[in-house]
């Protein structure tokens, strides 16, 4: 692991697992996210952070379908191409960086209360 850290450019960070608050804060400060995590694919669209997913399939297709994430596979070439594209193509970056809510509108609890209230009479 020390070898990976030694080769990491100064403008990149490789992190050990973080608590949720620190994780969200760090994501919000990032230009883009490179991950294989489904959780990151869920959280990043709300923050307006482009996501490069180092997988060929995902159980979170909503982030890809809404345009926040791209499945780039696992090759080094695909990773380099994906990062280069986002840093050089400002329109592509802006398109992917628009905040989105692919997993709902935030009103689920109000709907649940309404349903329970209307069925309890």
């Amino acid at each position: 692991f020390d070898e990976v850290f030694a080769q990491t450019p100064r403008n990149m960070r490789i992190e050990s697992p973080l608590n949720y608050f620190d994780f969200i804060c760090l994501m919000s400060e990032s230009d883009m996210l490179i991950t294989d995590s489904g959780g990151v694919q869920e959280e990043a669209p709300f923050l307006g952070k482009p996501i490069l997913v180092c997988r060929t399939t995902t159980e979170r297709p909503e982030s890809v379908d809404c345009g926040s994430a791209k499945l780039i596979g696992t090759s080094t070439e695909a990773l380099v191409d994906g990062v280069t594209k986002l840093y050089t193509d400002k329109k592509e970056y802006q398109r992917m960086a628009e905040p989105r809510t692919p997993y709902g509108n935030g009103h689920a609890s109000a709907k649940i209360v309404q349903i329970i209230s209307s069925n309890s009479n």
Side-chain angles (χ1 to χ4, degrees), residues 17-115:
L18 302 168
N19 67 52
Y20 184 75
F21 179 77
D22 290 341
F23 170 65
I24 296 299
C25 287
L26 188 59
M27 282 183 19
S28 70
E29 295 171 1
S30 300
D31 292 330
M32 72 179 71
L33 302 161
I34 302 166
T35 189
D36 67 350
S37 165
V40 172
Q41 292 175 64
E42 288 180 353
E43 301 289 350
F46 296 100
L47 298 170
K49 302 301 173 179
I51 315 153
L52 298 177
V53 182
C54 297
R55 298 169 75 178
T56 56
T57 62
T58 180
E59 68 281 3
R60 309 297 198 293
E62 297 89 343
S63 62
V64 175
D65 294 344
C66 79
S68 292
K70 282 190 178 182
L71 293 171
I72 61 168
T74 59
S75 74
T76 301
E77 181 179 328
L79 176 58
V80 170
D81 289 348
V83 171
T84 301
K85 172 98 172 153
L86 285 175
Y87 272 120
T88 58
D89 186 337
K90 299 301 180 197
K91 286 184 181 182
E92 177 70 1
Y93 182 89
Q94 289 302 320
R95 185 188 66 72
M96 288 183 72
E98 184 175 321
R100 296 175 173 92
T101 56
Y103 299 99
N105 61 10
H107 301 292
S109 61
K111 287 181 180 180
I112 292 168
V113 168
Q114 181 183 19
I115 291 167

